[in-house]
Amino acid sequence: MIPLERLIDALASLLETRGYHITLSSNDTTALTPRRLLAPDCLLPVLMRMAEETWKRQAGQVSFGLAVEPDGHALCGQRLHAIHHAPLSLLVLCTDQVLQKVADPHGLMTVEALERHADALCGAPPSQPAAV
């Protein structure tokens, strides 16, 4: 299992070195800080689910072992607690592939664009059963 802080550090570095900027909407072009965006209660669960689906499409039915739980206070309603079955390098690579598909030529993307891509990409059931 990868410590989430290590994953957040690696993905923050990816966002910064690739020049990706994520905004809340096309009307609000204020770029959010990578560390805030990548918090376990912000976009990290969404990005990891999208990265997992990207990997599944390339490698077959392989799960990252995402431990995601509903959280009414989280930006997207979910909080990532752990990733059990994927190496850091694979997580960064798959996340980069996701971001490349969503970002415009200047590296800018909105949360709405991420949401549209997630809806298109993740039509399959999640990697873990929903809590009852």
Side-chain angles (χ1 to χ4, degrees):
M1 182 167 61
I2 299 167
L4 289 183
E5 278 302 311
R6 187 167 178 222
L7 174 62
I8 291 167
D9 287 344
L11 292 177
S13 178
L14 171 71
L15 289 174
E16 291 167 358
T17 58
R18 289 278 199 188
Y20 294 131
H21 301 283
I22 302 174
T23 63
L24 290 176
S25 71
S26 55
N27 297 333
D28 179 5
T29 57
T30 304
L32 303 170
T33 64
R35 296 220 33 101
R36 177 60 195 125
L37 286 169
L38 297 168
D41 64 344
C42 199
L43 291 182
L44 189 60
V46 175
L47 291 172
M48 290 303 95
R49 178 65 182 100
M50 291 168 66
E52 178 184 60
E53 189 62 31
T54 298
W55 181 243
K56 280 183 179 181
R57 289 179 180 209
Q58 294 176 9
Q61 294 300 315
V62 179
S63 171
F64 286 177
L66 301 177
V68 178
E69 293 182 8
D71 181 342
H73 300 291
L75 177 68
C76 297
Q78 302 290 318
R79 175 182 290 272
L80 179 68
H81 291 280
I83 300 173
H84 296 285
H85 307 300
L88 181 62
S89 57
L90 182 61
L91 297 171
V92 172
L93 175 67
C94 291
T95 302
D96 190 30
Q97 288 180 352
V98 167
L99 296 175
Q100 285 179 29
K101 290 181 180 182
V102 177
D104 72 10
H106 304 289
L108 183 64
M109 62 194 91
T110 64
V111 171
E112 291 121 346
L114 281 168
E115 184 177 9
R116 283 191 303 273
H117 186 66
D119 287 343
L121 185 65
C122 300
S127 63
Q128 67 181 25
V132 179

